[in-house]
Amino acid sequence: MSYQNNQNFKKNPELDEEYTSNSFTLLYNVVKSIQVFFAQFLEWFQTLPQWGKIIGLIMIPIFVIKILEAVVSLVSLLITIGVFGGVIYLGYRFLIPPNYSDKDK
């Protein structure tokens, strides 16, 4: 590779550094917000009475499992719809003969 091609390849390194730093900043902000939410949740959980903590320890995992189950079910439904649509399209495309008019001949 010549020197000129090398210069064209590294035309604007500031943009690459800015993109990388923005990506890391976004990831850092997401992790930080999750940490803040978790700290607030723990603070709220510690203020509950003893019976509330027991009920929370029983109910919270059930809700989390139900939410994950709903997400998996939704993804499964979307995949099924996509496959079904593909089968219908392929059936239409290959099994139904084209209807040519007399003008095309």
Side-chain angles (χ1 to χ4, degrees):
M1 194 184 299
S2 70
Y3 178 74
Q4 184 179 9
N5 288 343
N6 215 3
Q7 289 298 326
N8 287 338
F9 185 69
K10 296 180 179 181
K11 195 168 192 172
N12 202 349
E14 299 88 26
L15 290 177
D16 292 336
E17 291 172 4
E18 182 178 316
Y19 175 75
T20 305
S21 66
N22 284 342
S23 298
F24 286 129
T25 303
L26 179 64
L27 182 62
Y28 175 77
N29 289 340
V30 168
V31 170
K32 190 70 173 169
S33 64
I34 290 172
Q35 287 176 341
V36 168
F37 173 75
F38 188 67
Q40 290 174 346
F41 176 77
L42 284 179
E43 183 179 327
W44 167 79
F45 188 77
Q46 289 173 353
T47 61
L48 290 175
Q50 189 67 27
W51 59 269
K53 289 179 183 177
I54 294 170
I55 292 173
L57 288 175
I58 294 170
M59 296 303 289
I60 290 172
I62 291 173
F63 285 136
V64 169
I65 290 170
K66 288 296 182 182
I67 289 171
L68 290 175
E69 183 182 334
V71 169
V72 169
S73 177
L74 181 64
V75 169
S76 172
L77 176 67
L78 292 175
I79 291 171
T80 303
I81 290 173
V83 169
F84 187 65
V87 168
I88 289 176
Y89 174 74
L90 290 175
Y92 168 75
R93 184 86 172 145
F94 294 114
L95 297 178
I96 298 177
N99 192 7
Y100 294 112
S101 64
D102 290 333
K103 292 179 184 177
D104 293 337
K105 292 184 177 181

